[in-house]
Every structure is written in C-alpha cells, then in structure tokens.
Amino acid sequence: MWVISTTTSASLCTLSDPLLVTNVYCSQDSVKPLEDKGINLEVCMETDGMQSISQRSFLVSGDDKTKQSQPVNGDCSKRSLDYRAQLTRTFKEDHKLPHPPQGKGGPFISDYQRPAPHLRRTGLGTETITVHGPPSSTGRKNNVFVRPAPMAARAIGRLQSAVVARANDWSNWVEVAVQFSGFPTNTTTKDVWDVFKNEGDILTIEIFDDYNGNPNGRGRIRFSPPPAAPFWLRTPYEAVVEGTKRIVSLTLKLQARKRDFMSPSLVDPRKKYPEVMILAAESLDFGFMHEPTTMMGMFRTTSSLSSPVTLRLDLLHREIVVGFDVTFTNPRTPTRVGSGPSQGKEEYTRTENYTFVMPLAQAAIVHQVNLGSKSALLFSLETPPNFYRKVKESVTHTEATFWSRRYALFRQTDITFNPLKLRAVPLALKKTKPTIDIGRWTTYHFLFDMTKTNRGLYNTICSALRDFNIEILPIPSFKLTTNRDLAVWEYIDQPLRRGKAKNRTALDDLMAEDILPLSFPVRYQLEVCISQGWLNEHNLTKEFVDKLMSLEAAKAQDLLEYVANRKQRVYNPMEIFDIKIIKGSASRLKIPHYCTYVRSAIVTPSTIYFSTPTIETSNRVIRQYSEHADRFLRVRFTDEKFQGKLNATEGESMNEIYTRVKRALNNGITIGERHFEYLASGNSQFREHGAYFFCPLAHLGVADIRRWMGDFQDIKVIARYAARLGQCFSTTRAINGSKVDIVEIPDIVNGKYNFTDGVGKISKFLAQVAASEVGVRMPSGEPPSVFQFRLGGAKGVLAVSPDARLREIHLRSSQYKFHAIHSGLEIIRWSQFSAAHLNRQLILVLSALGVPDRVFADKLKNQLSNLAQAMVDEKIALTLLQKEIDPNQMTLALAAMILEGFQKVQEPFMLSLLHLWRAWSIKYLKEKAKIVIHEGAVLLGCVDETRTLRGHYDNLQHLRTHPAEEERIKSLPEVFVQLSKGNNDKPQIMLGPMILARNPSLHPGDIRVVYGVDQPMLRHLRDVVVLPQTGDRDIAHMCSGGDLDGDDYLICWDGELLPKEWNYEPMIYTPEEQPKRVNGNVTTDDITTFFVNYMKNDLLPRIAHAHLATADYLPNGVKEEKCK
C-alpha cells in the first residue's frame, strides 16, 4: 500500500490520474498532525504495480516539515478520521462504488479495478516527493529516494504529492538498463562506475566493442533496484571521467524492458511469481541439529535498521541468498601503552557484511516452526553453501570491458576475528575458536516477527518454494538451545592440549586423567564419521569415548566403518555399540599384492572430508615404503561438495580459497597426533588438483623420500620439476622376478622434429612376462604389442621388436627424464582396441574441412535408434557392446553376461546395467556430442622401426589438390594399422585413405589424412597405429602437438568422414619462448606456489568453450584467424 501525504485542508476530491485500485483504506495510527498547515490527510491505497509488496506501508511526503513524526493527540486524530472518511466517500461516489465495510480502524474499499494504460507522471517545477520504505524486493536496504511530484488535476487544493504505481513504470522494474555513448575509447569500467555511482545501485557495466574488437565508447549500465530519478532524461549528460579528468557529454537512452521479471511455477505455468522476493528476518541462528527436533545454536545475528538480516529468493537463478552482518570485537582486554591513549577493544571493532547462497536443489526440505506471533524457517543442509564477504566495489574493477556487482563478493573460508593468524596453522577438521564455523554449522534458523513481517510476501515465498520442489514441513516440539555441549575434542585431545599449555599448573596435573589417545586407525575413522556428518562432535560424550577406548582397536574400527558405510545420521552415538558386525573391517581383508589401502581427504573451502580407506593399485613410492602405507594421505582440493571441481575465476574474489590451499600445502594437515606434510603430486593428480601427503617419522621425512625418488637437481623449470616428481606416483604394476637389460639407442631426429620421442623397444620374452604379470590375454594368444611403462627415471612406450632379445629393453635418450635409484620395470597399460567417437571439436574441424553436416546428423539418429533397440533386442545389444568398447573394457563384461543368457531371462540387475549404459551414452551425446564411429578405433601410437612407411614430405603437398585421386594419394603419409579382431573375428589390416587425429583437435591442420598400407615386416604389431619415421616432419607432432610416449590416436576409415580438403597446413606447436628457469635449486615452496598458480589459472575449459562458440559463430569456422 502507498501512504500519500498531503499538506492542505482544502476540499476533498479524487485524483484525476487513472488508477487500478484494489484496496483503499486508512488507519488511525498513520495520522500525523501538521505543524502549520492544518490537518495532514493520509490516503492508503494498493495499486497494481506493487504486487505482494503492497502490504508494506510507504510514506510519501511532499513537504520537509511532514518528515518529522509527531505523536497523535485526541482532537487532531478525530478530525483526521473525519477527513479520511470523507475522502473514501468521494472515491465511492465518483466511481459509483457501494458503501464499504468497516475495517482496520477506518473505511475500507475493496474489489475495485480500473485499467491504467496511460498513467502520466508530470513534475511540478522543482517540487519533489520523498519515498521511505522497507528493503525493496531487489535488495536495497533502505528504500529511500526522491522523485518529481506527479500531476493531479482534482486534488485537495494543490496536491503536492501523489505517487501511483503502474505496471509499465520503470520505477517498478526489477532492473533498469541504460545505454550510453560518448565516452573516450580508452574508458574503463571504473570510469563508468565513477560517473554513475551516485545515480543508483549499479548491477553491471558493459563497454561495447566494434567489429575489430576495440572499445568504441558505447555501452550499457544496469541498475537494480531502479535508480531514484530518471537521470537519462538529462540531455546532454555531462560528467568528468576520473581517469583522464576529461569532461564528456554523454547520450543516454533507457532500454525498453525485455521481460516481465516473473517466473512461472513448475507446478502450474499459469501461476507466476516475482523473480526476486526479499524478507527481513528478526534474527538468524547458525548451528546444527543436536537431536531430530533440537537445534544447537552456535552463533546469532540480529537485524537492525542499518543492517537487516535478509532472505532473498531468486527464482531466476534458483537460489536463496542470505545477507547478514557480523560485528567483530577485539578479544584482548584494554591495555595502556606508556602515557598514550588506551589501546582498547574499540580500536579493533569492525563490522563485515556477509552473504551465503543456497541453491534450491541443495535445500530439498525446509521446516516451518509456528511460534504464535512469530514464525521460523529452518534450513538444514547436508553440505555447506558458498559464503561471501562484500568489499568495496571501487577496488574490484580490472581492464576487462565487463564488470558486475558480484565481483565485490569475495569467497570466504573462515569467519573469524583475525583470519591472518590462520595462515601459519595446519588444516584440521577441528577449528580453533571460529566466530562462525561455516563448514560445520550448516543449519540456519530464520526468525520472523509476523506482526512486522509482510505476511502476504512470506506466504508467497513459501508457496514458491513448494512449487519449485522444496518441501515445507512442520517440525513438532522444535527446540532451539544455546547451551553448548562440549565437543569430543575436549576428551580425545586433552592430554596433548594440556601437555602443550604454557601456563600449566599443579591443579591441571591433578585434574588431568590418564587417557590414552585413540589409535590412529580408530581416530582416523572417527574423523571420517564426523567429517561426513554421520556423527557430530557435540553428540559424542565422555562416556562414548571411554566405551570406544575400552574396545579392541579392530572392533572399534569395524563399528565406525559400519557407521560410515551406512550413511545415516546417528544422534545417540551409544547405540552403535549394540551393532553386531558379521564381517570384519574391509580395511583388513586380503587384497592383491599390487594393491594397497589408501586414506584420502577432500579439502573444500570451508572444511575437510575424510574417507574410509579404499583399495587402489599402488605406485612406486608406496610400494617402497609399504610398511608405512598408513602414513600416506591422498588429498584433493575441490570446491564445496555440492559443486565439485574448483574452477578458476578472474580477479581476486577466490583469493582466500587459494590461500587455504597454500596453507595446507605449506603447513600440512593434522589428524589426531599425526601431522601430514606435502610430498608430491602425480601427473593426473595435478590436473585434478590433488597431491600426496606423508606423516614423517624420526628417521624418515618427505625430503628423504624425494631423495630416494631421484636426482632432480639439474631440473631448473618448476613445472618440469613437479612433473618429474609426479612421474614416480603413476599407478603402475611392478614386473617382479625378471631383471631387465637396458640397451641405449639413438633418437631419429630431422631438424627440430623428433620422430621417436618417447618410444623404445621390448623383447617378446619380456612382453610375455609383463602380460602374464598384469593378467592380460589377447585373442591371438600373443602378448600386447605396446606397453606404456616406467623404469627408473625413464618413461614412454615400449613396442615389441625382434631387435630386442631375451631380457633386453631398448631406450632412447628422449625417454630419460631423470636419474633414479629404482630400476624395476613398471607397466601402466598396454595396447588394446577402444571404440572411436566424435566430439564437438572434431565435428567443427571436419565440418570446416568439407564433411557435410547431414553425415553427423545421420550418425546421431542411427546411434539413438540402436540404443533404443538394444534394450529389447539381444543381438543388437551384443553387437553394440562388442563394438563400442570403452577404455576399461566394461562393455565386454556386459556382453559376456548377455551371452550367458541374463538379458534373455530379463534378469533385473543385468537390465539395470543395460539401462545405465544407455543413459550414460545419451548423456555424453547431449554434453559432448560423443557419436560412435563404427569404422574407427582409438589406439596407442608407435614408430615404424623398419623405415618402410612413407612419411610427410613438403614437396609432395601440391598434389593434395590434384583432381585425380591417385595423384592425391601420393601426397599422403603411410601408416600401418592391424586390428587383432576384425569383422570376421580374425586379424584385419586397414587399407586406404583414413583420418588420423588426437584429442583435442582445435586447428584445421590437427586432423591428418593418411593412407593405410600392408607392410609384412610390421605384422607382429596389433591394435596400434604405426607411424613413419621418414619425412620432413613427424605425423604425431602434426596431430595437436602429440608424441609417442603414451598418446592415444583416433584412426577412422569411414569414407563419409573423409574430408574434401586434405591435410590443411599444420600448426607449429614448438614454443617460441623457453620456460622460466629458477636460480639455484627448486624448493618445495616453489612447487606449492606453482601448484596454487596452476589452480588459479586453469582456464583450459573456458578456452575450449570460447573456441567452440567462436568457431561455431564465424562463417569459416576453425579456419577463421580468431580460431587459430
């Protein structure tokens, strides 16, 4: 409702502007006496533009004197009531309304509607009106603004102020966009922000570019909520650009509203909700559920006029945004230094504005608590939401041409008085005196005073939550307690804590109990249960700890593993001692000799999650120190559990997260009495932001392990140093009982291109030994043709060759990376057939090279049809599973089950696996356009040691455009491809023109057309791509800069996918600049700093998407200069 205040006692008339009035009423408590102009008349009306917010009162004043509220006295109140009644009758008589019922202390008119298609807002000279209101629906804390007074023909004398909302009035939009032009071409977003910052709350700033990508001084600025006044009507709009101190004359234009800012209900699309709705809560409690109906509150923040607690439902982004303030006070007592002023708490007191965001998908259930005149909403999340701290917007601008208000929101990892002190503290599940433990206190209690809260808006938000798949359930006998129980750390860490106390007294010694610390396996498993949320540290009493310690370590570990595997919250932990364990702990089962139990941790911005030990294939380092395997910890750094991988962002908004990562790498991770330190990262771990940590012993530390791994002192490039350390952590199978003889052979180099980079030879005897060790059997009975391996400091692939005899392995200099003490042969994987697939990048390149788009569409339709038929046709399912083999060979396992008759009898588990395989295939089709290529394969690459295959020669490339196909074939390099199982289940050699590629292929020259030939001297090689060692440039390097140290190559002999344009000029992948080298030796701090910088700048996914979008948009696709 609007409260329209006038300052005259003239005769009463209705407003002349057309209105859409649903309710008109006046309340006695809104009457204000006027100081010198007679009776102040107040009209309360609800209009069509206000929607659910209309139930909140706004005060509109046309005179500064009316801004001072005065108490209502009897005589004045009576006269005001008379005027209100007269005004209501005037409305009724003018619009022929029936007499209204009485309500709210005055006359009440309802159910009247009249269209307002052309409501005018005309200013009266310099007169203005001032609007005061509660927080707006778009986030403005104090909705106070000044607008020109509207025109009113039939007013009370001279109506000085009348504000009526209308649907197409910009002031009622959720956001306003204004286009500008006239800025200098070197203007930054900071310059634009400085010019318009006083006009309103800026949401985004965009500076437009011309066709060549250069700024042109034009752009768009968006405000939310709308600005106070239509500043764009000032023509011209003159301003001073702060950066250059230049006065500019700008042309501004209000952009038409493109949408209605309403979100349709998921239940009934005809029902719509405002995209943004905001409620102000009386208080917000952070804590956790101590019992099913009891919340233990750990921190409370309350609303005030200057800093309200707001709950903002954003249906456009499907999220709930909560804003609150925290005031920090220095915990130290006031002291006096010298004769100067007192250095008290007040000097350190500060207030920070925080926000946390709950996606609607994360808040599946909300509990509602009715407390008479108050109501509460209870959100209990399984994982923490993202927390942000607001900083000054002026410091968040960069050289980019786009800026958003969200850039001023910095992600948080801790909310504490002095976060700088945390930089020297190891990471642990237990946090020391946090103000808010955002990782553990994941239950949020919002209290609303319904006498002050807009009940209609409250009900609308609850209705919207229900329509967007969030259950709102009552919670009977709910209790919010602030009496904190002691956490379990007080019992299991007590001796350690007291032993380190600086001011330990005799009384402490007397009170200290002889409590033996939990054994590490039990302590670790207890922290697994606590970190995963199945147990809460405040539910674990001293009685529980005593009972756990009284059990055998194996029995205690079994109970805790059972709790972790059951994945259900336990409120009464004493119940777990009644569990009967039939099987022993999984971590004590007999496992294969090449496997080990690995403890792991996931470090998120707000907490740590530990996992029950799992069985994994070991690596060289863990095998060497197998007696200390429980001292290794595999750590991965991710975003919050609900989001997954930690993605790089621009600017500094994620700096606190990267500081937390650096803190873990530098200071380590503590679990009970064990302190784990950073050791190294495997190559695949590095890409996934993971690392290995080790808990040192008195005689064995991380430096000792690194020295055993190898001699890396000659490596001065930090990235290469980290990669060589990671080489020792590759998951491998050790070939024991057969010592190898190493023979060094030279690389084959032509100019700056190495044709044998990463490839060596292995004897057939050693190949058979390796195949027997890893348990692989080929259809022909022969060993695999190629093995990817590690041997000391050497890596790459070894191809079976008659040149190598008995126990010989031939290594090239390109395969030696560093010197190592270890000299055993280790196998990573071996050559085998895998199905070939298209993807979005390959489709773009092939399309640019002349493959018709209908080919891809037909293959997509064919695959979808085959997947559907495979669910009901056993023969089709068997054919697809045997052809579309995944790298892990799981489709062959499914095919074997079909052969055993499981699909024929409709075995439920088998059918569920088939449906899962189909769903997974469709998922990849949707996300990556992963279309299967039946006439193709993905194979390891190796080199032609016989020098019989023709390579790539520059002087033959003019033939690739020859009209005769025979002449064109002469320009193609030759390859040898033999499948161990062809169409007739016999070895098959692929002949003729084929395409050769390597993922990712982004450049038009990355896909090469080659010619398959039969070479008898190479027939012992199967399920590999044999590339020539002759020519001017090696083929592997042309394919996206690849080599032969274990890269997979896609080979396709499907004639429909053969492009019209053959062998586009390849890209030069040799870097022009050499990587930066360090002075002296590479240190651990250098490696950890590089690790964090890699995480911060890991923009490959964004680059790939940008390339995809640009190539798809431009007419020549990947051939455009912007895409090369």
Side-chain angles (χ1 to χ4, degrees):
M1 76 193 68
W2 290 87
V3 181
I4 305 180
S5 302
T6 62
T7 54
T8 180
S9 57
S11 61
L12 299 174
C13 298
T14 59
L15 307 179
S16 62
D17 287 338
L19 302 175
L20 177 56
V21 180
T22 57
N23 289 313
V24 178
Y25 66 88
C26 300
S27 58
Q28 183 172 359
D29 57 3
S30 63
V31 177
K32 292 187 171 79
L34 201 61
E35 187 172 294
D36 57 354
K37 290 190 176 182
I39 303 247
N40 174 34
L41 181 65
E42 298 185 352
V43 182
C44 303
M45 64 182 64
E46 180 182 10
T47 70
D48 62 330
M50 294 308 298
Q51 300 166 348
S52 58
I53 305 173
S54 59
Q55 297 183 21
R56 301 293 288 267
S57 296
F58 288 68
L59 174 62
V60 181
S61 304
D63 194 306
D64 288 340
K65 295 180 180 180
T66 65
K67 295 181 183 179
Q68 301 294 328
S69 175
Q70 298 181 11
V72 178
N73 49 46
D75 193 32
C76 181
S77 300
K78 183 177 184 302
R79 287 189 294 167
S80 296
L81 286 172
D82 292 339
Y83 272 91
R84 285 199 304 280
Q86 185 178 356
L87 176 65
T88 305
R89 288 195 297 273
T90 305
F91 267 99
K92 177 203 58 156
E93 293 168 1
D94 185 56
H95 300 296
K96 296 181 175 56
L97 295 175
H99 285 285
Q102 296 295 317
K104 287 220 173 186
F108 184 79
I109 300 176
S110 63
D111 300 327
Y112 170 69
Q113 292 187 348
R114 178 179 175 185
H118 57 282
L119 180 61
R120 299 187 305 274
R121 298 175 59 85
T122 307
L124 300 176
T126 60
E127 298 180 6
T128 61
I129 57 176
T130 304
V131 182
H132 304 263
S136 74
S137 63
T138 52
R140 189 198 300 261
K141 289 184 178 180
N142 191 7
N143 201 8
V144 180
F145 43 89
V146 178
R147 290 180 179 160
M151 196 66 167
R154 290 188 298 163
I156 305 171
R158 183 168 179 261
L159 184 61
Q160 295 185 358
S161 63
V163 175
V164 180
R166 62 171 184 171
N168 60 347
D169 183 5
W170 60 267
S171 63
N172 300 309
W173 298 353
V174 173
E175 64 181 45
V176 167
V178 178
Q179 294 181 345
F180 60 81
S181 60
F183 275 105
T185 56
N186 61 346
T187 298
T188 64
T189 57
K190 177 63 166 58
D191 296 330
V192 178
W193 185 85
D194 285 331
V195 169
F196 295 106
K197 63 183 179 183
N198 294 326
E199 302 293 355
D201 295 331
I202 300 174
L203 182 62
T204 63
I205 298 173
E206 299 172 77
I207 297 178
F208 298 155
D209 296 340
D210 57 22
Y211 185 77
N212 296 321
N214 300 317
N216 56 13
R218 298 173 57 250
R220 176 172 54 229
I221 185 168
R222 293 161 58 211
F223 295 85
S224 180
F231 64 89
W232 52 86
L233 298 179
R234 291 159 50 187
T235 305
Y237 188 99
E238 294 187 350
V240 177
V241 179
E242 290 293 329
T244 60
K245 300 301 180 181
R246 175 179 173 182
I247 300 177
V248 295
S249 181
L250 305 177
T251 300
L252 307 180
K253 179 183 178 182
L254 177 67
Q255 184 173 308
R257 186 172 66 169
K258 296 183 179 180
R259 54 192 180 90
D260 59 0
F261 299 102
M262 302 291 288
S263 289
S265 166
L266 298 182
V267 177
D268 182 5
R270 295 172 299 177
K271 185 178 181 181
K272 293 187 176 182
Y273 296 99
E275 283 183 357
V276 176
M277 293 178 281
I278 286 186
L279 276 178
E282 180 179 289
S283 64
L284 167 61
D285 286 275
F286 297 82
F288 52 87
M289 297 304 294
H290 189 262
E291 300 290 341
T293 60
T294 302
M295 174 186 174
M296 182 175 288
M298 305 297 287
F299 179 83
R300 172 176 293 178
T301 180
T302 57
S303 285
S304 64
L305 291 177
S306 59
S307 59
V309 176
T310 57
L311 186 148
R312 180 175 185 260
L313 176 60
D314 186 341
L315 296 179
L316 177 63
H317 300 99
R318 301 288 198 274
E319 62 188 18
I320 297 172
V321 183
V322 179
F324 64 98
D325 287 354
V326 176
T327 299
F328 297 94
T329 304
N330 180 27
R332 295 185 299 176
T333 56
T335 57
R336 182 176 298 273
V337 179
S339 57
S342 174
Q343 306 294 317
K345 296 183 180 181
E346 294 74 11
E347 280 193 36
Y348 302 92
T349 299
R350 71 184 191 280
T351 299
E352 301 279 5
N353 178 253
Y354 292 97
T355 297
F356 66 90
V357 180
M358 296 183 289
L360 296 186
Q362 192 177 3
I365 298 177
V366 176
H367 290 98
Q368 191 173 28
V369 184
N370 293 320
L371 304 170
S373 62
K374 297 185 179 182
S375 183
L377 293 179
L378 189 69
F379 294 80
S380 188
L381 307 184
E382 293 183 0
T383 59
N386 290 351
F387 275 74
Y388 302 85
R389 176 173 55 89
K390 188 175 181 180
V391 300
K392 293 182 179 179
E393 295 180 356
S394 59
V395 301
T396 60
H397 295 265
T398 63
E399 296 181 357
T401 57
F402 178 83
W403 178 87
S404 173
R405 187 164 63 194
R406 73 173 188 273
Y407 293 173
L409 297 178
F410 279 35
R411 283 287 299 274
Q412 296 297 289
T413 60
D414 298 276
I415 298 181
T416 185
F417 170 73
N418 188 359
L420 295 179
K421 286 186 177 180
L422 299 177
R423 296 188 178 183
V425 179
L427 260 61
L429 182 60
K430 173 191 175 184
K431 293 186 177 181
T432 304
K433 296 182 180 179
T435 302
I436 302 178
D437 189 343
I438 62 179
R440 302 288 302 153
W441 304 343
T442 57
T443 298
Y444 312 102
H445 177 269
F446 296 87
L447 184 64
F448 301 94
D449 186 346
M450 302 311 293
T451 62
K452 301 177 182 178
T453 299
N454 184 339
R455 187 177 293 273
L457 182 58
Y458 177 88
N459 294 333
T460 301
I461 288 179
C462 292
S463 176
L465 291 175
R466 292 189 185 96
D467 287 0
F468 281 82
N469 298 326
I470 295 181
E471 291 187 82
I472 298 183
L473 304 175
I475 180 169
S477 305
F478 173 77
K479 180 182 178 181
L480 174 63
T481 178
T482 56
N483 296 324
R484 303 183 184 182
D485 294 340
L486 291 177
V488 69
W489 321 117
E490 299 296 327
Y491 310 119
I492 60 179
D493 288 340
Q494 191 177 47
L496 180 65
R497 175 174 56 85
R498 290 188 175 179
K500 290 186 176 181
K502 294 181 179 180
N503 300 319
R504 185 171 178 177
T505 64
L507 181 61
D508 291 331
D509 292 333
L510 291 174
M511 293 177 61
E513 299 176 3
D514 294 329
I515 300 178
L516 296 176
L518 291 170
S519 65
F520 178 74
V522 177
R523 172 62 184 259
Y524 175 84
Q525 198 60 39
L526 179 62
E527 296 209 17
V528 169
C529 295
I530 295 175
S531 65
Q532 299 289 349
W534 315 132
L535 296 174
N536 187 277
E537 58 267 34
H538 291 272
N539 286 119
L540 304 180
T541 62
K542 189 176 186 302
E543 181 184 5
F544 171 83
V545 173
D546 292 340
K547 180 70 172 178
L548 193 66
M549 287 183 172
S550 67
L551 299 177
E552 295 181 1
K555 177 68 179 299
Q557 187 177 354
D558 288 347
L559 288 174
L560 294 173
E561 282 193 14
Y562 180 86
V563 172
N565 294 332
R566 191 174 60 173
K567 297 183 178 180
Q568 293 179 1
R569 172 69 189 275
V570 178
Y571 291 100
N572 182 9
M574 298 303 293
E575 294 177 355
I576 73 171
F577 297 112
D578 299 328
I579 298 174
K580 304 299 181 182
I581 304 296
I582 299 177
K583 293 183 178 181
S585 171
S587 60
R588 297 197 306 277
L589 297 178
K590 186 176 180 181
I591 60 175
H593 67 277
Y594 54 85
C595 293
T596 186
Y597 284 103
V598 177
R599 291 177 169 84
S600 60
I602 296 177
V603 177
T604 68
S606 61
T607 187
I608 304 177
Y609 299 97
F610 298 107
S611 298
T612 299
T614 55
I615 302 174
E616 296 183 5
T617 304
S618 62
N619 55 58
R620 179 189 305 176
V621 178
I622 294 181
R623 282 194 296 268
Q624 175 66 22
Y625 299 99
S626 57
E627 68 274 20
H628 305 304
D630 64 337
R631 291 185 170 268
F632 288 91
L633 182 69
R634 184 164 49 81
V635 179
R636 187 181 175 200
F637 300 94
T638 71
D639 210 324
E640 296 299 348
K641 210 172 184 180
F642 188 79
Q643 296 170 276
K645 185 176 180 180
L646 191 61
N647 296 314
T649 57
E650 296 180 2
E652 300 178 351
S653 61
M654 301 278 282
N655 276 6
E656 290 201 23
I657 294 179
Y658 298 122
T659 300
R660 177 174 169 85
V661 175
K662 179 66 172 176
R663 171 187 163 195
L665 296 173
N666 281 1
N667 305 332
I669 297 174
T670 299
I671 306 175
E673 295 182 347
R674 291 195 179 184
H675 179 70
F676 293 82
E677 299 177 2
Y678 171 75
L679 178 59
S681 299
N683 294 330
S684 59
Q685 274 188 311
F686 207 92
R687 291 189 293 270
E688 295 298 323
H689 307 159
Y692 272 103
F693 283 60
F694 180 77
C695 178
L697 296 162
H699 63 280
L700 181 66
V702 292
D704 301 314
I705 296 177
R706 292 196 194 106
R707 278 193 296 269
W708 174 87
M709 289 162 56
D711 184 5
F712 308 100
Q713 292 186 0
D714 294 336
I715 304 175
K716 303 299 181 183
V717 178
I718 299 175
R720 188 173 297 147
Y721 190 102
R724 299 299 171 248
L725 283 175
Q727 187 173 316
C728 300
F729 288 89
S730 298
T731 300
T732 57
R733 297 278 295 274
I735 308 303
N736 300 313
S738 182
K739 185 178 180 180
V740 301
D741 298 325
I742 298 176
V743 178
E744 296 186 2
I745 57 177
D747 277 302
I748 299 172
V749 180
N750 186 354
K752 59 182 180 180
Y753 300 111
N754 189 342
F755 288 72
T756 57
D757 188 5
V759 61
K761 304 175 187 179
I762 187 174
S763 68
K764 186 176 181 179
F765 169 75
L766 276 180
Q768 289 174 333
V769 172
S772 176
E773 177 67 28
V774 299
V776 60
R777 295 181 181 179
M778 305 303 290
S780 61
E782 297 290 329
S785 299
V786 171
F787 294 88
Q788 188 178 10
F789 80 106
R790 296 287 188 268
L791 198 160
K795 65 185 288 282
V797 298
L798 298 172
V800 175
S801 172
D803 299 336
R805 300 179 180 181
L806 299 178
R807 299 179 179 180
E808 286 184 354
I809 288 180
H810 296 188
L811 297 180
R812 291 185 164 93
S813 58
S814 60
Q815 297 181 277
Y816 286 101
K817 305 303 178 182
F818 60 91
H819 175 72
I821 300 174
H822 187 272
S823 59
L825 177 63
E826 300 167 325
I827 301 300
I828 298 176
R829 61 186 181 124
W830 48 90
S831 57
Q832 58 187 3
F833 177 92
S834 292
H837 297 84
L838 293 170
N839 54 42
R840 293 182 296 182
Q841 290 83 9
L842 287 173
I843 291 173
L844 275 176
V845 176
L846 289 173
S847 179
L849 295 177
V851 177
D853 291 344
R854 63 167 181 81
V855 173
F856 308 115
D858 291 344
K859 290 186 179 297
L860 175 61
K861 293 178 182 177
N862 183 54
Q863 183 172 351
L864 290 173
S865 176
N866 288 340
L867 288 171
Q869 294 180 40
M871 299 299 103
V872 295
D873 192 315
E874 185 177 327
K875 291 183 178 179
I876 294 178
L878 191 61
T879 301
L880 291 178
L881 290 170
Q882 289 177 337
K883 283 187 175 181
E884 301 176 13
I885 303 174
D886 65 296
N888 296 322
Q889 310 281 300
M890 293 305 298
T891 55
L892 294 180
L894 288 177
M897 296 177 71
I898 293 177
L899 288 173
E900 295 294 334
F902 284 92
Q903 186 179 14
K904 189 174 183 178
V905 298
Q906 298 290 293
E907 201 279 325
F909 179 68
M910 172 63 192
L911 293 179
S912 66
L913 291 178
L914 273 179
H915 284 284
L916 177 61
W917 166 68
R918 176 176 177 267
W920 196 258
S921 300
I922 294 175
K923 176 179 182 290
Y924 273 115
L925 281 174
K926 291 166 57 178
E927 295 179 356
K928 299 185 178 181
K930 193 175 180 180
I931 303 173
V932 66
I933 305 174
H934 292 292
E935 300 183 37
V938 174
L939 306 171
L940 279 170
C942 66
V943 74
D944 168 29
E945 299 287 358
T946 66
R947 293 183 61 88
T948 56
L949 298 179
R950 181 178 68 231
H952 169 87
Y953 291 94
D954 295 334
N955 58 3
L956 296 179
Q957 294 311 299
H958 67 281
L959 297 175
R960 63 185 181 182
T961 58
H962 198 281
E965 185 175 351
E966 293 181 358
E967 295 297 321
R968 296 174 65 191
I969 289 175
K970 292 180 181 179
S971 69
L972 299 180
E974 295 175 343
V975 299
F976 177 82
V977 177
Q978 179 180 205
L979 303 182
S980 59
K981 193 175 182 180
N983 294 330
N984 55 358
D985 291 340
K986 294 182 180 180
Q988 181 181 3
I989 297 174
M990 312 313 301
L991 305 175
M994 298 180 281
I995 62 172
L996 181 72
R998 175 179 169 270
N999 287 322
S1001 294
L1002 305 175
H1003 188 271
D1006 288 344
I1007 296 181
R1008 313 305 298 172
V1009 179
V1010 296
Y1011 194 76
V1013 298
D1014 181 10
Q1015 177 50 251
M1017 298 176 64
L1018 298 174
R1019 288 179 183 174
H1020 63 284
L1021 297 174
R1022 297 176 182 178
D1023 293 332
V1024 294
V1025 180
V1026 185
L1027 302 179
Q1029 61 166 277
T1030 60
D1032 297 326
R1033 183 175 177 182
D1034 62 304
I1035 307 301
H1037 196 262
M1038 294 182 184
C1039 297
S1040 307
D1043 52 31
L1044 298 176
D1045 70 348
D1047 290 355
D1048 287 315
Y1049 292 87
L1050 182 146
I1051 186 77
C1052 172
W1053 50 91
D1054 188 338
E1056 287 187 319
L1057 295 176
L1058 194 67
K1060 296 179 181 178
E1061 184 177 352
W1062 289 5
N1063 292 340
Y1064 192 92
E1065 186 67 26
M1067 184 175 177
I1068 304 297
Y1069 285 97
T1070 305
E1072 297 181 358
E1073 297 183 4
Q1074 294 299 318
K1076 184 179 179 182
R1077 299 170 64 89
V1078 298
N1079 297 323
N1081 294 329
V1082 177
T1083 64
T1084 303
D1085 184 65
D1086 293 331
I1087 299 173
T1088 56
T1089 301
F1090 173 77
F1091 186 101
V1092 174
N1093 287 335
Y1094 174 82
M1095 290 181 61
K1096 190 174 182 179
N1097 299 287
D1098 184 11
L1099 299 174
L1100 285 180
R1102 186 179 303 178
I1103 294 171
H1105 282 90
H1107 179 273
L1108 179 71
T1110 305
D1112 192 47
Y1113 172 76
L1114 297 175
N1116 294 324
V1118 294
K1119 291 183 179 180
E1120 293 279 353
E1121 198 63 32
K1122 283 187 176 182
C1123 296
K1124 294 181 180 178

